[in-house]
Amino acid sequence: MKRLALLFFLFSVPLMAQTGNDELVEVRELIPDVRLDLRYATANNFTHQKLFSTNVCYLSLGAVKGLMAVQDSLRRAGLSLMIFDGYRPRAIQYLMFEILPNPVYVADPASGSKHNRGSAVDLTIVDASTGAAWDMGTDFDFFGNEAAHSYTNLSAKVLQNRQYFKSVMVNVGGFAAYDAEWWHYDYPAGASYPLLDFQMK
Ligand SMILES: [Zn+2]
């Protein structure tokens, strides 16, 4: 385990030294054991279209540093993060807003989403060895009240899972929760990062 941690350290230091916090980095280069279930790289999302041509997740370095701290903490408990979506090109935001023009769930592309700045991430907790996702009460991108942190008509287990996830993201990672979606977290310093339209290839 110690050797694995050292390996992460050796990989991550050169990249972190040269890159600004607002620059996009490939998440797995810095967190090799993070799990991905990039829904927009498949048709299994609310648009029913494959929006990304690659299965690679990018985020700003600032946000990835926060996730590294969360993943370090989860790893010790036999758990892992699993990411549904990270950086999203602004052109994709226009497409999503056309399909679902509801700013509670899809940010208006005119002002841009924090996903377009690489400073928002949609994710959950899974068992590190089996990949089984924790029960959070709804699927990712369930656009209804049941997905909100303030909705409490859920089983004690689901409420406990959401609370644990929120506490590790906020207290360990420095992220801010978004009430309407249990899966969405903002990296506060990233609010001023530039809106990007870099296309993943
Ligand atoms: Zn999101």
PDB file of all heavy atoms in Angstrom, residues 40 85-86 88 105 113-115 120-123 140-141 178 181 183-186, ligand 1:
ATOM      1  N   TYR A  40     -21.903  10.690 -20.424  1.00  0.00           N
ATOM      2  CA  TYR A  40     -22.063  11.431 -21.686  1.00  0.00           C
ATOM      3  C   TYR A  40     -21.158  10.872 -22.791  1.00  0.00           C
ATOM      4  O   TYR A  40     -21.244  11.288 -23.930  1.00  0.00           O
ATOM      5  CB  TYR A  40     -21.829  12.933 -21.475  1.00  0.00           C
ATOM      6  CG  TYR A  40     -22.798  13.517 -20.463  1.00  0.00           C
ATOM      7  CD1 TYR A  40     -22.331  14.132 -19.303  1.00  0.00           C
ATOM      8  CD2 TYR A  40     -24.172  13.428 -20.659  1.00  0.00           C
ATOM      9  CE1 TYR A  40     -23.213  14.645 -18.367  1.00  0.00           C
ATOM     10  CE2 TYR A  40     -25.061  13.927 -19.725  1.00  0.00           C
ATOM     11  CZ  TYR A  40     -24.575  14.543 -18.575  1.00  0.00           C
ATOM     12  OH  TYR A  40     -25.449  15.038 -17.646  1.00  0.00           O
ATOM     13  N   ASP A  85     -19.246  12.743 -14.619  1.00  0.00           N
ATOM     14  CA  ASP A  85     -18.917  13.821 -15.553  1.00  0.00           C
ATOM     15  C   ASP A  85     -18.003  14.831 -14.875  1.00  0.00           C
ATOM     16  O   ASP A  85     -18.158  15.106 -13.689  1.00  0.00           O
ATOM     17  CB  ASP A  85     -20.199  14.530 -16.034  1.00  0.00           C
ATOM     18  CG  ASP A  85     -19.938  15.460 -17.218  1.00  0.00           C
ATOM     19  OD1 ASP A  85     -19.013  15.171 -18.006  1.00  0.00           O
ATOM     20  OD2 ASP A  85     -20.644  16.473 -17.350  1.00  0.00           O
ATOM     21  N   GLY A  86     -17.059  15.348 -15.653  1.00  0.00           N
ATOM     22  CA  GLY A  86     -16.145  16.371 -15.140  1.00  0.00           C
ATOM     23  C   GLY A  86     -16.219  17.587 -16.038  1.00  0.00           C
ATOM     24  O   GLY A  86     -17.279  18.194 -16.201  1.00  0.00           O
ATOM     25  N   ARG A  88     -16.684  19.745 -19.247  1.00  0.00           N
ATOM     26  CA  ARG A  88     -17.646  19.590 -20.346  1.00  0.00           C
ATOM     27  C   ARG A  88     -17.439  20.774 -21.285  1.00  0.00           C
ATOM     28  O   ARG A  88     -17.518  21.924 -20.837  1.00  0.00           O
ATOM     29  CB  ARG A  88     -19.020  19.650 -19.703  1.00  0.00           C
ATOM     30  CG  ARG A  88     -20.194  19.356 -20.565  1.00  0.00           C
ATOM     31  CD  ARG A  88     -21.464  19.648 -19.779  1.00  0.00           C
ATOM     32  NE  ARG A  88     -21.705  18.790 -18.647  1.00  0.00           N
ATOM     33  CZ  ARG A  88     -22.559  19.087 -17.658  1.00  0.00           C
ATOM     34  NH1 ARG A  88     -23.229  20.231 -17.650  1.00  0.00           N
ATOM     35  NH2 ARG A  88     -22.744  18.250 -16.664  1.00  0.00           N
ATOM     36  N   TYR A 105     -31.227  22.273 -13.422  1.00  0.00           N
ATOM     37  CA  TYR A 105     -30.490  21.049 -13.729  1.00  0.00           C
ATOM     38  C   TYR A 105     -29.422  21.200 -14.813  1.00  0.00           C
ATOM     39  O   TYR A 105     -28.474  20.424 -14.861  1.00  0.00           O
ATOM     40  CB  TYR A 105     -31.469  19.932 -14.119  1.00  0.00           C
ATOM     41  CG  TYR A 105     -32.412  19.592 -12.998  1.00  0.00           C
ATOM     42  CD1 TYR A 105     -33.777  19.835 -13.093  1.00  0.00           C
ATOM     43  CD2 TYR A 105     -31.923  19.053 -11.811  1.00  0.00           C
ATOM     44  CE1 TYR A 105     -34.638  19.541 -12.035  1.00  0.00           C
ATOM     45  CE2 TYR A 105     -32.761  18.765 -10.758  1.00  0.00           C
ATOM     46  CZ  TYR A 105     -34.122  19.008 -10.872  1.00  0.00           C
ATOM     47  OH  TYR A 105     -34.951  18.723  -9.831  1.00  0.00           O
ATOM     48  N   SER A 113     -21.572  26.831 -17.400  1.00  0.00           N
ATOM     49  CA  SER A 113     -21.639  25.948 -16.235  1.00  0.00           C
ATOM     50  C   SER A 113     -20.243  25.857 -15.633  1.00  0.00           C
ATOM     51  O   SER A 113     -19.243  26.013 -16.336  1.00  0.00           O
ATOM     52  CB  SER A 113     -22.078  24.564 -16.711  1.00  0.00           C
ATOM     53  OG  SER A 113     -21.744  23.569 -15.754  1.00  0.00           O
ATOM     54  N   LYS A 114     -20.193  25.547 -14.345  1.00  0.00           N
ATOM     55  CA  LYS A 114     -18.875  25.316 -13.733  1.00  0.00           C
ATOM     56  C   LYS A 114     -18.207  24.089 -14.357  1.00  0.00           C
ATOM     57  O   LYS A 114     -16.997  23.954 -14.334  1.00  0.00           O
ATOM     58  CB  LYS A 114     -19.001  25.192 -12.227  1.00  0.00           C
ATOM     59  CG  LYS A 114     -19.431  26.509 -11.589  1.00  0.00           C
ATOM     60  CD  LYS A 114     -19.105  26.573 -10.117  1.00  0.00           C
ATOM     61  CE  LYS A 114     -19.449  27.929  -9.526  1.00  0.00           C
ATOM     62  NZ  LYS A 114     -20.911  28.141  -9.441  1.00  0.00           N
ATOM     63  N   HIS A 115     -19.023  23.207 -14.939  1.00  0.00           N
ATOM     64  CA  HIS A 115     -18.435  22.073 -15.676  1.00  0.00           C
ATOM     65  C   HIS A 115     -17.604  22.592 -16.862  1.00  0.00           C
ATOM     66  O   HIS A 115     -16.613  21.979 -17.230  1.00  0.00           O
ATOM     67  CB  HIS A 115     -19.519  21.131 -16.204  1.00  0.00           C
ATOM     68  CG  HIS A 115     -20.101  20.226 -15.164  1.00  0.00           C
ATOM     69  ND1 HIS A 115     -19.445  19.116 -14.697  1.00  0.00           N
ATOM     70  CD2 HIS A 115     -21.281  20.264 -14.499  1.00  0.00           C
ATOM     71  CE1 HIS A 115     -20.199  18.503 -13.788  1.00  0.00           C
ATOM     72  NE2 HIS A 115     -21.322  19.191 -13.653  1.00  0.00           N
ATOM     73  N   ALA A 120     -16.421  21.722 -11.754  1.00  0.00           N
ATOM     74  CA  ALA A 120     -17.547  20.990 -11.159  1.00  0.00           C
ATOM     75  C   ALA A 120     -17.416  19.539 -11.567  1.00  0.00           C
ATOM     76  O   ALA A 120     -16.918  19.231 -12.659  1.00  0.00           O
ATOM     77  CB  ALA A 120     -18.875  21.554 -11.642  1.00  0.00           C
ATOM     78  N   VAL A 121     -17.858  18.677 -10.680  1.00  0.00           N
ATOM     79  CA  VAL A 121     -17.731  17.236 -10.951  1.00  0.00           C
ATOM     80  C   VAL A 121     -18.980  16.525 -10.442  1.00  0.00           C
ATOM     81  O   VAL A 121     -19.538  16.882  -9.407  1.00  0.00           O
ATOM     82  CB  VAL A 121     -16.413  16.685 -10.328  1.00  0.00           C
ATOM     83  CG1 VAL A 121     -16.347  16.905  -8.827  1.00  0.00           C
ATOM     84  CG2 VAL A 121     -16.187  15.213 -10.677  1.00  0.00           C
ATOM     85  N   ASP A 122     -19.442  15.547 -11.220  1.00  0.00           N
ATOM     86  CA  ASP A 122     -20.584  14.709 -10.843  1.00  0.00           C
ATOM     87  C   ASP A 122     -20.016  13.339 -10.514  1.00  0.00           C
ATOM     88  O   ASP A 122     -19.321  12.738 -11.354  1.00  0.00           O
ATOM     89  CB  ASP A 122     -21.558  14.576 -12.022  1.00  0.00           C
ATOM     90  CG  ASP A 122     -22.101  15.918 -12.487  1.00  0.00           C
ATOM     91  OD1 ASP A 122     -22.258  16.811 -11.640  1.00  0.00           O
ATOM     92  OD2 ASP A 122     -22.366  16.068 -13.697  1.00  0.00           O
ATOM     93  N   LEU A 123     -20.339  12.835  -9.333  1.00  0.00           N
ATOM     94  CA  LEU A 123     -19.679  11.595  -8.906  1.00  0.00           C
ATOM     95  C   LEU A 123     -20.412  10.935  -7.755  1.00  0.00           C
ATOM     96  O   LEU A 123     -21.373  11.501  -7.214  1.00  0.00           O
ATOM     97  CB  LEU A 123     -18.218  11.884  -8.557  1.00  0.00           C
ATOM     98  CG  LEU A 123     -17.846  12.676  -7.309  1.00  0.00           C
ATOM     99  CD1 LEU A 123     -16.330  12.801  -7.209  1.00  0.00           C
ATOM    100  CD2 LEU A 123     -18.460  14.028  -7.186  1.00  0.00           C
ATOM    101  N   PHE A 140     -27.897   8.981 -11.126  1.00  0.00           N
ATOM    102  CA  PHE A 140     -27.300  10.233 -11.603  1.00  0.00           C
ATOM    103  C   PHE A 140     -28.258  10.864 -12.622  1.00  0.00           C
ATOM    104  O   PHE A 140     -28.924  10.149 -13.381  1.00  0.00           O
ATOM    105  CB  PHE A 140     -25.959   9.903 -12.263  1.00  0.00           C
ATOM    106  CG  PHE A 140     -25.402  10.976 -13.156  1.00  0.00           C
ATOM    107  CD1 PHE A 140     -25.042  12.209 -12.651  1.00  0.00           C
ATOM    108  CD2 PHE A 140     -25.230  10.735 -14.512  1.00  0.00           C
ATOM    109  CE1 PHE A 140     -24.515  13.192 -13.475  1.00  0.00           C
ATOM    110  CE2 PHE A 140     -24.702  11.708 -15.349  1.00  0.00           C
ATOM    111  CZ  PHE A 140     -24.341  12.941 -14.830  1.00  0.00           C
ATOM    112  N   ASP A 141     -28.345  12.190 -12.618  1.00  0.00           N
ATOM    113  CA  ASP A 141     -29.219  12.921 -13.554  1.00  0.00           C
ATOM    114  C   ASP A 141     -30.685  12.542 -13.425  1.00  0.00           C
ATOM    115  O   ASP A 141     -31.425  12.541 -14.411  1.00  0.00           O
ATOM    116  CB  ASP A 141     -28.763  12.765 -15.017  1.00  0.00           C
ATOM    117  CG  ASP A 141     -27.752  13.843 -15.421  1.00  0.00           C
ATOM    118  OD1 ASP A 141     -27.429  14.720 -14.569  1.00  0.00           O
ATOM    119  OD2 ASP A 141     -27.285  13.823 -16.566  1.00  0.00           O
ATOM    120  N   TYR A 178     -24.282  21.000  -3.996  1.00  0.00           N
ATOM    121  CA  TYR A 178     -25.348  21.699  -4.718  1.00  0.00           C
ATOM    122  C   TYR A 178     -26.650  21.050  -4.292  1.00  0.00           C
ATOM    123  O   TYR A 178     -26.820  19.839  -4.469  1.00  0.00           O
ATOM    124  CB  TYR A 178     -25.111  21.560  -6.231  1.00  0.00           C
ATOM    125  CG  TYR A 178     -26.207  22.134  -7.096  1.00  0.00           C
ATOM    126  CD1 TYR A 178     -26.599  23.466  -6.960  1.00  0.00           C
ATOM    127  CD2 TYR A 178     -26.849  21.360  -8.056  1.00  0.00           C
ATOM    128  CE1 TYR A 178     -27.605  24.008  -7.758  1.00  0.00           C
ATOM    129  CE2 TYR A 178     -27.846  21.888  -8.860  1.00  0.00           C
ATOM    130  CZ  TYR A 178     -28.219  23.211  -8.702  1.00  0.00           C
ATOM    131  OH  TYR A 178     -29.216  23.739  -9.488  1.00  0.00           O
ATOM    132  N   GLU A 181     -28.866  18.439  -6.538  1.00  0.00           N
ATOM    133  CA  GLU A 181     -28.289  17.202  -7.095  1.00  0.00           C
ATOM    134  C   GLU A 181     -27.269  16.611  -6.120  1.00  0.00           C
ATOM    135  O   GLU A 181     -26.211  17.205  -5.902  1.00  0.00           O
ATOM    136  CB  GLU A 181     -27.572  17.516  -8.429  1.00  0.00           C
ATOM    137  CG  GLU A 181     -28.485  18.101  -9.503  1.00  0.00           C
ATOM    138  CD  GLU A 181     -27.726  18.561 -10.760  1.00  0.00           C
ATOM    139  OE1 GLU A 181     -26.493  18.748 -10.696  1.00  0.00           O
ATOM    140  OE2 GLU A 181     -28.393  18.719 -11.792  1.00  0.00           O
ATOM    141  N   TRP A 183     -25.196  14.371  -6.570  1.00  0.00           N
ATOM    142  CA  TRP A 183     -23.965  13.941  -7.244  1.00  0.00           C
ATOM    143  C   TRP A 183     -23.055  15.098  -7.659  1.00  0.00           C
ATOM    144  O   TRP A 183     -21.938  14.872  -8.100  1.00  0.00           O
ATOM    145  CB  TRP A 183     -24.322  13.127  -8.499  1.00  0.00           C
ATOM    146  CG  TRP A 183     -25.210  13.906  -9.452  1.00  0.00           C
ATOM    147  CD1 TRP A 183     -24.805  14.828 -10.378  1.00  0.00           C
ATOM    148  CD2 TRP A 183     -26.641  13.867  -9.534  1.00  0.00           C
ATOM    149  NE1 TRP A 183     -25.895  15.364 -11.025  1.00  0.00           N
ATOM    150  CE2 TRP A 183     -27.037  14.784 -10.527  1.00  0.00           C
ATOM    151  CE3 TRP A 183     -27.631  13.132  -8.848  1.00  0.00           C
ATOM    152  CZ2 TRP A 183     -28.389  14.991 -10.853  1.00  0.00           C
ATOM    153  CZ3 TRP A 183     -28.957  13.343  -9.183  1.00  0.00           C
ATOM    154  CH2 TRP A 183     -29.322  14.259 -10.175  1.00  0.00           C
ATOM    155  N   HIS A 184     -23.544  16.350  -7.594  1.00  0.00           N
ATOM    156  CA  HIS A 184     -22.806  17.497  -8.160  1.00  0.00           C
ATOM    157  C   HIS A 184     -22.051  18.256  -7.061  1.00  0.00           C
ATOM    158  O   HIS A 184     -22.639  18.675  -6.069  1.00  0.00           O
ATOM    159  CB  HIS A 184     -23.786  18.431  -8.874  1.00  0.00           C
ATOM    160  CG  HIS A 184     -23.141  19.677  -9.421  1.00  0.00           C
ATOM    161  ND1 HIS A 184     -22.879  19.860 -10.766  1.00  0.00           N
ATOM    162  CD2 HIS A 184     -22.687  20.803  -8.799  1.00  0.00           C
ATOM    163  CE1 HIS A 184     -22.298  21.032 -10.938  1.00  0.00           C
ATOM    164  NE2 HIS A 184     -22.171  21.632  -9.759  1.00  0.00           N
ATOM    165  N   TYR A 185     -20.750  18.473  -7.286  1.00  0.00           N
ATOM    166  CA  TYR A 185     -19.924  19.246  -6.354  1.00  0.00           C
ATOM    167  C   TYR A 185     -19.109  20.287  -7.114  1.00  0.00           C
ATOM    168  O   TYR A 185     -18.553  19.998  -8.179  1.00  0.00           O
ATOM    169  CB  TYR A 185     -19.004  18.313  -5.548  1.00  0.00           C
ATOM    170  CG  TYR A 185     -19.779  17.610  -4.456  1.00  0.00           C
ATOM    171  CD1 TYR A 185     -20.425  16.412  -4.716  1.00  0.00           C
ATOM    172  CD2 TYR A 185     -19.933  18.197  -3.210  1.00  0.00           C
ATOM    173  CE1 TYR A 185     -21.190  15.789  -3.732  1.00  0.00           C
ATOM    174  CE2 TYR A 185     -20.690  17.585  -2.220  1.00  0.00           C
ATOM    175  CZ  TYR A 185     -21.319  16.387  -2.488  1.00  0.00           C
ATOM    176  OH  TYR A 185     -22.084  15.786  -1.521  1.00  0.00           O
ATOM    177  N   ASP A 186     -19.066  21.499  -6.548  1.00  0.00           N
ATOM    178  CA  ASP A 186     -18.299  22.604  -7.133  1.00  0.00           C
ATOM    179  C   ASP A 186     -17.020  22.810  -6.352  1.00  0.00           C
ATOM    180  O   ASP A 186     -17.014  22.719  -5.118  1.00  0.00           O
ATOM    181  CB  ASP A 186     -19.093  23.925  -7.024  1.00  0.00           C
ATOM    182  CG  ASP A 186     -20.282  23.943  -7.958  1.00  0.00           C
ATOM    183  OD1 ASP A 186     -20.142  23.489  -9.113  1.00  0.00           O
ATOM    184  OD2 ASP A 186     -21.355  24.411  -7.527  1.00  0.00           O
TER     185      ASP A 186
HETATM  186 ZN    ZN B   1     -22.872  18.560 -12.428  1.00  0.00          ZN
END
